[in-house]
Amino acid sequence: MAEMKQLAKETAIYGVSSIVGKFLNWLLVPMYTYVLQNSGQYGIVTNLYAWTALVIVIITYGMETGFFRFASEHKDDKTLSDRVYSTTLCSLAVSSTLFAILIVLFRNDIVTLLDCGASASIIAMLGITVALDAFDSIPFAYLRYKKKPIKFAAFKLISIAINIFGNIFFLILCPKIMETSASWLVDWCYRPDFGIEYIFITNLISSFLCTLLLLPTVLEPKLDFDNVLLRKMLRYSLPILLLGIVGIMNQTVDKILFPIVYPDKVEAMQQLGIYGACFKVAMIMMMFTNAFRYAYEPFVFQKHGTSHCKESYSDAMKYFIITALLIFLAMVFYLDIIKFLLRSDYRIGMDIVPLILISYMFQGIVYNLALWYKLVDKTYWGAIISSLGFVIMFVIQLIFIPLYSYWACVWASVICYFVMMMVSYFVGQHYYPIDYQLKRIAMYVVVAALIWAAGTLLNIDNFFLRMAYRTLLLCIFCIVVMKKDLPLTSLPLYKKLTHRH
């Protein structure tokens, strides 16, 4: 239980940057839907950021996980662990710089190749931004390894705050100022014809300033590059690269493939804009998954080999699923309120949100199950499982996007991650068996499903009564959790209050 409390504490701190930070970025989506001229413009943004997510995985080539693996191996020797960090930094610095140069040089060719409505300047800015983010991933990993979650969270939040301020400044404040006699205040830095370019300008600025903040962390250990060590790290990390590519393709192939296979190019970007905005609504589940991942990966490697490590992994899975189910119920029960975050012409796609949440839940479970092939150094299994999921997702989307638009993307995602979850579980039990609390987990899934059905199938016309009824159902789920696995007596607040008396 003590390990779970420590994991929960670190997850909460990383959640400040992951959940709170991404929540703030998430609030940019409603702004985009209200400020941008049409859903087609947001479709361009959705498509480009899908490509960006893929590229950043490629140019980090699994070295983040490789750093944790080799640094943890030498955790008792600071000189050797610092050498791992320094070697990883040097490798990423060289590869990221080369990538940025190539993107800037060939930006016009990339515009022609993508054919999504983006300008050459946007491509150049994205190239530099991705290069900076790839390099920054290692200093951020170092902060996690050194258990400095507060500094990690602070730097992430500062970068996010800059990005949010820039978006508000360029997309809302500047246009309003330009309409007044004080236009001279911003006409030196603002061009009305830029439009979505300012989304990418702001992203570049925030990434550059974040890199500056990380410089002391970059320079903390002395430069100690080890070519032999790098080759060992690459042998470990390259299979993870394939896993990462396939994994991120499972998340982004829909947004990349959609404008390619949809019959009408203009309508494709409009549909993609609606799908992208509604997809973002469900991102709260992904925010939680990411916050958990930041704390869980170091936790897994550090607990490996201890007498009760498998029990800790089992508990972590149970509490992850409980929290994910709670987030799911809260989101689907309050969609009638959440939908107003989007402009009316986007709300037609809100029916896909429950399925996206389920897909994210499966994805989080897949990540939890992935610990076995990382611990037994059989990372190729991760690539096999992700490749299987990618083939399923790609085939379904390729066939059905022209027929069912973004509904094909949603169902493909659910099926893909369900299959990956099942395969990973059964293969993992062969190589690294863990006694997951399946009966208890199944009980929570059934209870959540019944509560979901009770909350959505009963048609209550009065809005306030409907919200009150669903809130009551949500409380019932919380009571079940507290009775079975989270008694009040285990909470720090309860202990403090009872101690006073």
Side-chain angles (χ1 to χ4, degrees):
M1 192 65 179
E3 291 88 355
M4 291 304 101
K5 289 180 179 179
Q6 179 64 25
L7 179 61
K9 179 181 177 181
E10 292 187 10
T11 300
I13 296 175
Y14 288 121
V16 173
S17 58
S18 182
I19 295 178
V20 176
K22 290 192 176 184
F23 176 75
L24 294 173
N25 269 332
W26 178 68
L27 290 177
L28 289 175
V29 177
M31 187 188 78
Y32 293 151
T33 65
Y34 282 96
V35 171
L36 298 180
Q37 293 179 0
N38 52 63
S39 61
Q41 284 194 320
Y42 190 66
I44 296 172
V45 175
T46 300
N47 180 253
L48 287 178
Y49 276 129
W51 280 108
T52 299
L54 171 62
V55 170
I56 200 168
V57 168
I58 295 173
I59 66 171
T60 52
Y61 43 94
M63 291 296 278
E64 185 179 356
T65 301
F67 163 74
F68 279 118
R69 169 67 172 80
F70 284 85
S72 297
E73 192 175 84
H74 304 294
K75 60 186 175 183
D76 297 325
D77 190 327
K78 187 177 186 303
T79 301
L80 292 178
S81 62
D82 283 352
R83 184 179 299 164
V84 173
Y85 176 52
S86 183
T87 300
T88 311
L89 268 181
C90 291
S91 179
L92 264 293
V94 172
S95 57
S96 297
T97 301
L98 289 174
F99 171 80
I101 292 171
L102 289 173
I103 294 297
V104 171
L105 289 176
F106 295 101
R107 59 190 183 277
N108 291 314
D109 300 297
I110 295 172
V111 166
T112 303
L113 183 65
L114 293 180
D115 189 27
C116 66
S119 64
S121 60
I122 288 178
I123 299 301
M125 287 186 288
L126 264 181
I128 298 171
T129 301
V130 169
L132 290 171
D133 290 346
F135 176 75
D136 290 349
S137 67
I138 303 305
F140 274 123
Y142 184 73
L143 291 175
R144 291 161 57 198
Y145 172 73
K146 288 293 185 177
K147 290 191 174 294
K148 296 181 178 179
I150 295 177
K151 183 178 286 189
F152 178 99
F155 288 171
K156 286 284 189 180
L157 281 176
I158 290 171
S159 175
I160 290 166
I162 293 168
N163 185 50
I164 291 172
F165 173 79
N167 273 276
I168 294 172
F169 176 75
F170 285 119
L171 296 179
I172 295 180
L173 295 181
C174 284
K176 290 188 178 298
I177 294 172
M178 288 294 289
E179 295 173 359
T180 69
S181 58
S183 60
W184 56 271
L185 289 172
V186 296
D187 59 9
W188 62 275
C189 65
Y190 177 74
R191 287 178 51 181
D193 59 320
F194 260 29
I196 62 171
E197 276 86 351
Y198 282 117
I199 296 174
F200 302 97
I201 290 173
T202 300
N203 201 347
L204 174 58
I205 293 171
S206 66
S207 293
F208 175 74
L209 293 178
C210 185
T211 304
L212 292 181
L213 287 172
L214 286 167
L215 278 181
T217 305
V218 171
L219 302 173
E220 184 175 320
K222 69 174 184 178
L223 182 63
D224 187 12
F225 179 78
D226 188 328
N227 189 48
V228 175
L229 173 62
L230 178 61
R231 288 199 294 269
K232 290 180 180 178
M233 294 182 71
L234 288 175
R235 279 196 296 271
Y236 175 84
S237 299
L238 287 179
I240 296 176
L241 167 60
L242 178 57
L243 168 63
I245 291 174
V246 178
I248 200 66
M249 283 296 286
N250 287 341
Q251 299 176 35
T252 61
V253 67
D254 49 354
K255 303 167 192 70
I256 293 173
L257 190 63
F258 197 97
I260 297 174
V261 302
Y262 198 81
D264 186 288
K265 192 74 173 180
V266 175
E267 186 180 350
M269 300 314 291
Q270 293 171 349
Q271 291 285 298
L272 183 58
I274 293 170
Y275 172 57
C278 294
F279 200 91
K280 287 284 188 179
V281 168
M283 279 291 288
I284 287 179
M285 185 71 80
M286 178 58 79
M287 295 175 203
F288 163 68
T289 301
N290 284 343
F292 187 87
R293 179 176 67 87
Y294 282 132
Y296 193 55
E297 189 166 35
F299 173 84
V300 165
F301 284 114
Q302 289 165 6
K303 286 295 173 187
H304 182 47
T306 62
S307 59
H308 56 285
C309 62
K310 291 188 176 182
E311 182 182 344
S312 298
Y313 300 153
S314 176
D315 285 341
M317 174 68 84
K318 179 181 67 176
Y319 288 114
F320 173 86
I321 292 175
I322 288 171
T323 308
L325 289 171
L326 181 60
I327 293 171
F328 171 82
L329 291 174
M331 288 287 291
V332 296
F333 280 173
Y334 299 121
L335 276 182
D336 288 343
I337 299 173
I338 296 172
K339 69 180 182 181
F340 292 105
L341 289 170
L342 304 183
R343 198 170 65 197
S344 57
D345 52 328
Y346 288 83
R347 295 173 200 162
I348 190 174
M350 288 295 287
D351 289 342
I352 66 174
V353 171
L355 285 175
I356 297 173
L357 290 169
I358 293 172
S359 172
Y360 275 145
M361 195 184 313
F362 289 161
Q363 185 179 343
I365 295 172
V366 168
Y367 181 81
N368 277 269
L369 293 170
L371 64 91
W372 68 265
Y373 57 73
K374 293 179 181 179
L375 292 176
V376 299
D377 287 350
K378 294 186 181 293
T379 51
Y380 61 85
W381 264 109
I384 292 172
I385 293 169
S386 289
S387 298
L388 172 64
F390 172 72
V391 170
I392 292 171
M393 183 173 291
F394 183 82
V395 170
I396 292 175
Q397 291 175 356
L398 185 66
I399 296 173
F400 294 106
I401 282 177
L403 300 174
Y404 300 106
S405 187
Y406 48 73
W407 278 100
C409 301
V410 179
W411 277 108
S413 183
V414 172
I415 295 169
C416 159
Y417 285 114
F418 177 78
V419 172
M420 288 175 61
M421 177 179 68
M422 299 305 293
V423 172
S424 184
Y425 172 76
F426 286 109
V427 177
Q429 290 300 96
H430 172 73
Y431 286 102
Y432 193 79
I434 296 175
D435 186 19
Y436 290 113
Q437 301 166 53
L438 297 182
K439 290 183 179 179
R440 182 60 60 89
I441 290 171
M443 182 272 292
Y444 282 121
V445 171
V446 171
V447 170
L450 291 174
I451 289 175
W452 178 27
T456 54
L457 294 180
L458 182 61
N459 186 24
I460 302 175
D461 293 331
N462 185 281
F463 173 81
F464 296 103
L465 287 178
R466 185 165 67 250
M467 291 299 101
Y469 169 65
R470 291 178 176 178
T471 301
L472 176 62
L473 291 174
L474 195 61
C475 290
I476 292 174
F477 182 79
C478 293
I479 291 170
V480 172
V481 171
M482 287 189 290
K483 184 176 180 180
K484 296 291 185 180
D485 280 285
L486 197 63
L488 290 175
T489 53
S490 69
L491 299 178
L493 179 60
Y494 180 88
K495 291 179 179 180
K496 288 180 181 179
L497 291 174
T498 53
H499 180 71
R500 288 175 184 175
H501 295 292

